[in-house]
């Protein structure tokens, strides 16, 4: 075939999502699936007309690029093996669950000429693209922001409640917003974090205060056992007589000036794959491989997100405000 032969490692929820989106991209073909549970690999292989591979090595031998969609702690070993074999890599978030492993991946990708993209999909979501467009104007220079990212549970899939697999709740869920604030507001200069443990044998409820090199500051609340009350994810941004507010991945409302006019952009009509940016991130990965387009979410971005999570956990442990290098 012409185009990119892709292998999927981990045939669960997000592996299925990517495989089915990739199957719709003309210049890509999912050709192999590997999962430690063979029946899962076989089921997905049937859906996208690929072959189930008997091992990671067998998969890497027959593809040009690999999607790492297995649980968090497995990502570094699979990514390093794939780069070693000369494959392009798409690695789901979090890139790694320790700074040491993230640094090894960053260095390996810098020494390689292969494309390495990290799955911070929200950067491709139309809601957040609209926010980025709005705050890049002279009319809207943010002073501060108020952010929440909640979950109803850490039960599904079962490993999301096991910190030895996830690296901790911040790695599993909140890392999406920690990457998002860097993308929207620039480098974070410090974090101060309070937290408490309730349901899941780990700290599962966090209140954070972030400062930025731009002079901005933000609060971020993130609870693992709040509820699925909509929107469970929201950013409010405040500027001179102006406010932007997001609703999940479906809408952005903003107002400028002191009168009561509001402008709303709605993405209700889009599919979930498009609202959440999954289709666009997959298309971007293929463009980077075949057309040399710049990598949209790099290993540096993946590393900086891991660094932020680590700084948050350190602040929680020590009770101190943790400065970050810019
Ligand atoms: N970007 C997003 O919005 C998003 C959404 C969901 C999940 N994720 C990430 O994707 C990854 C997978 O999450 P999920 O919800 O699809 O989990 P899942 O449990 O549904 O699927 C994971 C699959 O990986 C398989 N697996 C486990 N260890 C493996 C290994 N060493 N090699 C190959 N396969 C292995 C499991 O058998 C399972 O089928 C996680 O890192 C998660 O954080 C990202």
């Amino acid at each position: 075939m012409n185009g990119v032969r892709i292998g999927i490692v981990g045939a669960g929820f997000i592996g299925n999502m990517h495989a089915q989106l990739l199957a719709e991209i003309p210049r890509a073909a999912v050709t192999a699936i590997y999962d430690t549970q063979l029946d899962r690999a076989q089921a997905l292989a049937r859906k996208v007309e690929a072959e189930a591979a008997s091992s990671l090595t067998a998969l890497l031998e027959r593809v040009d690029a690999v999607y790492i969609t297995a649980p968090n702690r497995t990502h570094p070993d699979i990514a390093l093996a794939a780069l070693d074999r000369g494959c392009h890599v798409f690695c789901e978030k979090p890139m790694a669950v320790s700074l040491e492993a993230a640094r090894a991946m960053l260095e390996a990708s810098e020494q390689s000429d292969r494309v390495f993209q990290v799955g911070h999909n929200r950067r491709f979501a139309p809601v957040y693209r609209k926010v980025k467009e709005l705050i890049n104007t002279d009319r809207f220079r943010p002073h501060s922001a108020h952010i929440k990212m909640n979950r109803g549970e850490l039960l599904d899939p079962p490993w999301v409640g096991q910190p030895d697999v996830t690296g901790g709740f911040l790695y599993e869920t909140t890392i999406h917003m920690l990457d998002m604030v860097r993308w929207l507001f620039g480098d974070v200069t410090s974090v101060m974090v309070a937290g408490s443990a309730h349901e899941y044998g780990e700290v599962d409820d966090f209140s954070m205060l972030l400062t930025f090199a731009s002079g901005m500051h933000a609060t971020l609340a993130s609870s693992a056992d709040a509820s699925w009350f909509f929107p469970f994810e929201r950013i409010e941004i405040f500027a001179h007589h102006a406010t932007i507010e997001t609703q999940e991945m479906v809408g952005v409302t903003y107002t400028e000036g002191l009168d009561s006019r509001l402008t709303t952009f709605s993405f209700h009509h889009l599919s979930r794959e498009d609202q959440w940016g999954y289709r666009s991130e997959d298309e971007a990965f293929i463009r980077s491989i075949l057309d040399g387009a710049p990598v949209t979410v790099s290993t540096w971005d993946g590393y900086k997100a891991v660094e932020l999570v680590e700084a948050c956990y350190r602040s929680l442990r020590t009770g101190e405000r943790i400065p970050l290098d810019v």
Side-chain angles (χ1 to χ4, degrees):
M1 66 150 297
N2 294 321
V4 188
R5 295 171 305 162
I6 294 169
I8 306 278
V9 181
F13 164 69
I14 204 78
N16 269 264
M17 169 90 75
H18 286 301
Q20 290 177 62
L21 289 170
L22 288 162
E24 294 172 20
I25 300 178
R27 298 192 298 165
V30 178
T31 54
I33 318 280
Y34 171 63
D35 194 296
T36 43
Q37 293 188 39
L38 181 62
D39 57 329
R40 289 189 173 201
Q42 288 169 333
L44 179 54
R46 274 193 298 276
K47 269 191 220 164
V48 295
E49 296 179 19
E51 284 179 24
S54 56
S55 67
L56 176 63
T57 310
L59 176 136
L60 294 176
E61 276 166 4
R62 60 171 105 135
V63 297
D64 307 307
V66 65
Y67 267 65
I68 303 173
T69 52
N72 304 358
R73 201 169 280 280
T74 65
H75 296 179
D77 284 350
I78 300 169
L80 293 174
L83 283 179
D84 196 44
R85 173 69 185 69
C87 293
H88 303 285
V89 175
F90 180 101
C91 180
E92 261 304 341
K93 47 55 65 175
M95 189 167 92
V97 296
S98 76
L99 212 47
E100 197 185 3
R103 195 174 294 118
M105 294 163 88
L106 174 65
E107 285 170 7
S109 82
E110 281 177 352
Q111 282 158 21
S112 151
D113 64 353
R114 305 287 89 179
V115 170
F116 195 128
Q117 184 176 323
V118 183
H120 287 296
N121 58 298
R122 276 160 178 75
R123 291 186 181 212
F124 298 85
V127 157
Y128 291 121
R129 296 212 145 186
K130 178 54 73 181
V131 170
K132 192 156 171 74
E133 184 189 310
L134 289 169
I135 64 173
N136 280 342
T137 62
D138 282 339
R139 290 180 309 176
F140 202 102
R141 295 270 168 235
H143 302 158
S144 66
H146 181 49
I147 301 156
K148 79 161 177 184
M149 185 173 223
N150 285 347
R151 287 182 66 117
E153 37 64 27
L154 288 179
L155 300 171
D156 182 23
W159 59 264
V160 293
Q162 299 166 15
D164 55 328
V165 180
T166 61
F169 169 60
L170 295 184
Y171 271 117
E172 178 46 28
T173 300
T174 321
I175 194 166
H176 278 297
M177 276 301 130
L178 291 169
D179 173 68
M180 181 50 56
V181 297
R182 243 195 94 239
W183 187 59
L184 289 176
F185 309 134
D187 280 319
V188 178
T189 46
S190 75
V191 296
M192 175 82 209
V193 176
S196 51
H198 302 275
E199 294 297 316
Y200 296 107
E202 63 170 313
V203 175
D204 54 17
D205 202 328
F206 291 83
S207 299
M208 310 177 186
L209 181 61
L210 312 171
T211 61
F212 296 82
S214 64
M216 247 191 92
H217 45 90
T219 54
L220 168 50
S222 194
S223 172
D225 70 317
S227 67
W228 290 117
F229 182 91
F230 181 90
F232 58 83
E233 173 176 332
R234 160 174 275 163
I235 298 187
E236 295 171 61
I237 308 169
F238 312 113
H240 180 61
H241 297 320
T243 300
I244 295 174
E245 184 180 288
T246 63
Q247 265 218 331
E248 199 80 34
M249 244 76 74
V250 297
V252 181
T253 299
Y254 81 99
T255 179
E256 298 172 294
L258 293 175
D259 65 25
S260 55
R261 269 179 301 175
L262 301 177
T263 305
T264 297
F265 296 91
S266 171
F267 302 99
H268 278 93
H269 57 290
L270 298 179
S271 67
R272 183 183 165 85
E273 292 78 7
D274 289 308
Q275 280 180 348
W276 287 57
Y278 296 126
R279 189 190 312 278
S280 301
E281 71 176 348
D282 290 344
E283 288 169 348
F285 182 55
I286 301 302
R287 275 199 305 276
S288 293
I289 294 171
L290 292 180
D291 306 333
V295 175
T296 38
V297 189
S298 66
T299 42
W300 175 247
D301 295 316
Y303 174 84
K304 293 299 279 183
V306 168
E307 185 185 59
L308 268 174
V309 170
E310 286 294 305
C312 289
Y313 277 124
R314 209 168 122 216
S315 176
L316 181 72
R317 276 195 309 274
T318 61
E320 289 173 6
R321 182 168 165 266
I322 306 297
L324 285 125
D325 289 337
V326 173

